[in-house]
Amino acid sequence: MSNCAVFLSGGGSNFQALIDRKNSGDLHVDFTVCISNNSKAYGCERARKNGIPVVHLARGRFGSNEEYTARLLEVLSAHSVEMIVCAGYMKIIPAAVVEQYRNKILNIHPALLPSFGGKGMYGKRVHQAVLDHGAKVSGITVHLIDEQYDSGPIVLQECIPVPDTDDAESLAGRVLALEHAHYWRAVEAVAQNRLTITGRRVTGEL
Ligand code: GRF
């Protein structure tokens, strides 16, 4: 069983889907801490309801990046964290944390990377960009986190068609359902050490 931290900034519906998978016996991780930059995030409430400690950590409350990073590493160590799952986390993870947890930090993005990603591409903007581009498919990408936004090696992708009748809201709803259905598979694969990373290629059974 891997000890896992969840980083989130918002509603945490993906976190809830992971908790549900754990409760149904599909996912074998212990969520030992939930870390949020936003103390009002509903995802923090989901953690509390499930007996998972919540730590509010925002860069703005620290005098320097170094102090912030040191506190983050201290919290991860105090909760014996072995892997990190980002579930709607809107902040960049400090390089020292990425380094310490190399290939053990997952993120989910609501489109098919490397398209429609990068800084500022979140929420409805992603789906509107997909529609504006005229893409005929969209989907989800689960990737390992590196030092840039949405750029680490891809672990899992699933796609869905984009019918002519879609708007950003309808597309967002179907993509989110796809996220809930699949994110746990990548989390489980990392937790079970089933993945091999060679350059940008991630192989292994999901
Ligand atoms: C999801 O669409 C995810 O892909 C993105 O942020 C959103 C989080 O939604 N990274 P929720 O907070 O899990 O409901």
Side-chain angles (χ1 to χ4, degrees):
M1 189 84 74
S2 271
N3 287 340
C4 181
V6 170
F7 283 33
L8 55 78
S9 305
S13 70
N14 273 288
F15 182 27
Q16 186 64 54
L18 294 176
I19 291 170
D20 294 346
R21 284 288 175 176
K22 176 176 162 59
N23 291 341
S24 69
D26 290 329
L27 177 61
H28 304 88
V29 296
D30 263 343
F31 294 112
T32 58
V33 65
C34 168
I35 294 176
S36 183
N37 60 302
N38 172 11
S39 59
K40 296 193 173 69
Y42 185 64
C44 297
E45 197 50 39
R46 296 184 196 271
R48 286 187 203 99
K49 280 185 184 158
N50 286 275
I52 300 163
V54 175
V55 177
H56 176 222
L57 266 183
R59 167 66 184 88
R61 291 160 64 113
F62 294 85
S64 68
N65 275 334
E66 288 70 23
E67 284 171 63
Y68 165 63
T69 302
R71 178 70 187 130
L72 195 45
L73 286 169
E74 193 176 273
V75 169
L76 294 172
S77 163
H79 293 273
S80 307
V81 170
E82 297 165 297
M83 63 179 287
I84 299 170
V85 170
C86 296
Y89 187 58
M90 307 301 287
K91 299 289 172 186
I92 199 101
I93 296 186
V97 177
V98 174
E99 185 55 41
Q100 182 157 327
Y101 288 88
R102 180 76 60 195
N103 297 334
K104 296 284 179 190
I105 314 179
L106 285 169
N107 182 46
I108 188 160
H109 184 76
L112 297 172
L113 293 174
S115 296
F116 310 115
K119 194 164 164 44
M121 285 299 265
Y122 58 86
K124 288 277 159 59
R125 288 189 203 179
V126 177
H127 306 293
Q128 195 57 54
V130 168
L131 292 170
D132 291 347
H133 197 85
K136 300 301 181 199
V137 292
S138 190
I140 61 167
T141 303
V142 179
H143 64 95
L144 296 165
I145 283 207
D146 65 10
E147 284 78 0
Q148 275 100 46
Y149 278 104
D150 298 332
S151 85
I154 292 171
V155 176
L156 172 158
Q157 290 187 305
E158 295 288 337
C159 45
I160 48 167
V162 179
D164 294 348
T165 50
D166 251 352
D167 59 20
E169 200 173 331
S170 59
L171 182 55
R174 280 182 299 114
V175 169
L176 189 62
L178 202 64
E179 294 184 42
H180 296 164
H182 294 282
Y183 198 9
W184 72 275
R185 294 170 50 218
V187 176
E188 179 73 357
V190 170
Q192 302 295 333
N193 254 315
R194 289 205 302 259
L195 302 180
T196 303
I197 296 103
T198 316
R200 290 199 57 89
R201 291 200 74 189
V202 181
T203 52
E205 199 191 327
L206 287 175

